[in-house]
Amino acid sequence: MSMLFVEPEGAFREFVNDRFHNAAFPVHRVANSDEARRELEGTSFLATIFRWDDNSPDLIELLRAKSAWLIATVADESELSLAYRAGVHDGILDTCVSAVLDAKRSHIEHLHRMDQRLAQAQKLESIGELAAGIAHEINTPIQYVGDNTRFVKTAYADLTDVLMQCRELIVATETDRDITEIAGRARDAMDNADLDYLLEEIPAAIEQTLEGIDRVSNIVRAMKEFAHPGVSEMVLTDLSKAIQNTVMVARNEWKYVAEVKTDFDPALAWVPCFPGELNQVLLNMIVNAAHAIGERAVGERSHVSGPVAPMGTISISTQLVGGNAVIRICDTGNGIAAKNLERIFDPFFTTKASGKGTGQGLAIAHTVIVERHRGTIGVQSKVGQGTEFTITLPMNLPEPISSASNHAIPFVNDGELTSPASL
């Protein structure tokens, strides 16, 4: 997350800019309240430094809702007192010295580091929650691989007995020995082995075993590709494959409550992005969709006796629209109340029961899409019908974005996008 600085052109603005130059966090600079409101549309900030104006209580309320730390710049102590009474967290006098601003910057940098750690913790939490499901997904094919292997082992012992008797019969025939007794033993071995059954079931067992091995291989490959290591610059990524991998990784979350339908635009292949971060966003969206459908199913079962509620649907589509890659994730869950729609991207806001969510998933998704990829993320929802999230990623950036940059719009200076990621 980043900082918002609202200050008209002038000496104090230059003073603050100088102290926050090359900060460890992005700084968005605007000159007036109208520009600030536009910046605040769908965006939250770690900190906001703004010029105090007691004639704009609605702006102050908006800033409080969208900023973890709200700092007012004031002319004197009387304005500072008014600012505190209005709910501002801290203040800076126009006459402050450099050390004061340096202390504020240091604290915001601390908040920035904490925010990054929280994002990493949220990712680890997601992986931890999925671990049991992934283990189950792997265990199921492993079980029938094991069962089929044990069956083939037993069948091999039976067939070995049959083959040994047949070999003895052949030797007896070649040496003109009496084969009556040997032929009887061979017949008994064939009957005991239930040869017709084995000839039918062994190929099926081998086929199922190979399918199980393929299933495990696909899960492991999807996990490996999902957990793509962080990269310092955007790389071209196969968007359809990234979505398919994430759907597979999250399968245990949705398979009991929904079916997943995908519709990928064949014209949309490689998309410039940070693959690991985009995978995390997709995972959050799919898991949230599954939970919403599950909650709706529980609600329906509590009101209606009889058969289990029908499966819901999660629809994921991609489309090339102009110069943008558009991802739509729709679910038939319980929907989001209108009063909550404006807040769902705010940090720590959640409608889930205590202990069921941190309120960070969508906040991180917003940061990743809007700030890291310079895209957009929007939501439409109707209670009782479902929710649709729309993610837009620009395909043609003026310059590739670098994770190492500290500016408001973090560019690196040259170079084409690196070669396609191995996804």
Side-chain angles (χ1 to χ4, degrees):
M1 295 179 71
S2 52
M3 184 189 100
L4 177 63
F5 178 38
V6 187
E7 180 73 24
E9 294 291 342
F12 188 76
R13 180 186 175 107
E14 293 304 316
F15 177 47
V16 174
N17 283 341
D18 180 64
R19 304 315 303 176
F20 282 80
H21 180 63
N22 288 333
F25 49 86
V27 179
H28 296 246
R29 298 169 176 86
V30 297
N32 54 56
S33 60
D34 290 336
E35 292 178 5
R37 292 177 197 278
R38 286 193 291 271
E39 285 286 337
L40 291 165
E41 290 179 0
T43 304
S44 297
F45 293 91
L46 273 177
T48 296
I49 300 177
F50 77 107
R51 172 59 57 180
W52 168 254
D53 180 3
D54 58 359
N55 294 320
S56 302
D58 58 329
L59 175 61
I60 295 170
E61 192 64 30
L62 180 60
L63 289 170
R64 287 183 61 194
K66 295 289 187 176
S67 305
W69 192 29
L70 184 58
I71 308 168
T73 56
V74 297
D76 51 40
E77 294 288 349
S78 62
E79 280 194 352
L80 183 58
S81 179
L82 290 172
Y84 280 136
R85 284 201 292 271
V88 169
H89 304 130
D90 204 350
I92 301 173
L93 289 170
D94 287 341
T95 57
C96 73
V97 295
S98 299
V100 173
L101 286 179
D102 291 343
K104 306 299 182 190
R105 169 176 165 164
S106 177
H107 187 66
I108 297 172
E109 288 176 340
H110 174 71
L111 291 176
H112 182 64
R113 289 192 296 271
M114 293 299 293
D115 182 66
Q116 290 178 320
R117 291 173 186 170
L118 190 60
Q120 180 65 14
Q122 200 276 336
K123 183 175 182 178
L124 293 174
E125 178 191 26
S126 298
I127 294 174
E129 290 175 351
L130 291 172
I134 293 169
H136 177 75
E137 288 297 307
I138 292 176
N139 188 56
T140 299
I142 285 295
Q143 280 185 329
Y144 64 73
V145 166
D147 291 343
N148 286 333
T149 302
R150 283 186 285 273
F151 164 71
V152 171
K153 179 181 179 180
T154 302
Y156 173 78
D158 292 338
L159 289 175
T160 298
D161 188 29
V162 172
L163 291 172
M164 293 296 290
Q165 297 299 330
C166 289
R167 186 170 69 176
E168 187 176 347
L169 181 61
I170 292 172
V171 171
T173 302
E174 291 175 345
T175 57
D176 295 327
R177 291 165 50 197
D178 184 6
I179 62 171
T180 303
E181 181 181 351
I182 299 173
R185 290 201 302 271
R187 173 66 63 185
D188 291 341
M190 293 174 62
D191 291 341
N192 291 336
D194 197 352
L195 197 58
D196 290 337
Y197 171 78
L198 293 183
L199 292 175
E200 180 180 352
E201 291 300 321
I202 288 176
I206 293 172
E207 186 65 28
Q208 286 182 353
T209 298
L210 293 174
E211 288 176 2
I213 292 170
D214 287 342
R215 176 68 180 161
V216 172
S217 297
N218 289 336
I219 294 170
V220 172
R221 182 169 58 250
M223 277 296 297
K224 179 181 178 182
E225 294 175 354
F226 172 82
H228 192 287
V231 291
S232 60
E233 293 182 16
M234 284 188 172
V235 293
L236 292 173
T237 301
D238 186 338
L239 184 59
S240 300
K241 187 67 175 298
I243 293 172
Q244 290 171 336
N245 287 335
T246 307
V247 168
M248 179 175 289
V249 168
R251 186 172 184 271
N252 203 62
E253 296 287 331
W254 55 260
K255 69 178 182 179
Y256 299 111
V257 297
E259 60 176 335
V260 174
K261 296 181 178 179
T262 57
D263 181 15
F264 301 135
D265 187 345
L268 183 61
W270 301 96
V271 176
C273 69
F274 295 103
E277 296 179 28
L278 182 60
N279 287 343
Q280 181 65 29
V281 171
L282 295 171
L283 177 64
N284 285 338
M285 296 291 183
I286 293 170
V287 171
N288 282 349
H291 289 175
I293 293 171
E295 290 169 5
R296 179 176 181 179
V298 170
E300 290 176 351
R301 284 197 295 269
S302 67
H303 292 91
V304 180
S305 59
V308 174
M311 297 280 278
T313 302
I314 300 173
S315 302
I316 307 172
S317 65
T318 63
Q319 188 177 10
L320 180 62
V321 180
N324 297 311
V326 179
I327 308 168
R328 291 185 175 86
I329 302 174
C330 310
D331 67 66
T332 57
N334 50 13
I336 303 169
K339 65 179 182 180
N340 293 329
L341 279 177
E342 293 184 358
R343 300 187 60 198
I344 60 171
F345 296 117
D346 292 350
F348 305 109
F349 177 77
T350 180
T351 58
K352 295 181 180 179
S354 177
K356 296 294 184 180
T358 63
Q360 281 295 92
L362 289 178
I364 292 171
H366 186 276
T367 299
V368 168
I369 298 302
V370 176
E371 296 188 15
R372 300 282 283 133
H373 291 83
R374 276 183 262 161
T376 64
I377 180 169
V379 58
Q380 293 180 323
S381 187
K382 289 186 179 180
V383 175
Q385 295 187 28
T387 301
E388 175 180 306
F389 283 91
T390 302
I391 296 171
T392 302
L393 301 174
M395 294 287 290
N396 299 307
L397 296 169
E399 296 178 66
I401 297 177
S402 167
S403 63
S405 176
N406 296 324
H407 301 291
I409 301 179
F411 291 124
V412 291
N413 283 332
D414 70 39
E416 299 176 354
L417 291 168
T418 53
S419 59
S422 57
L423 287 183

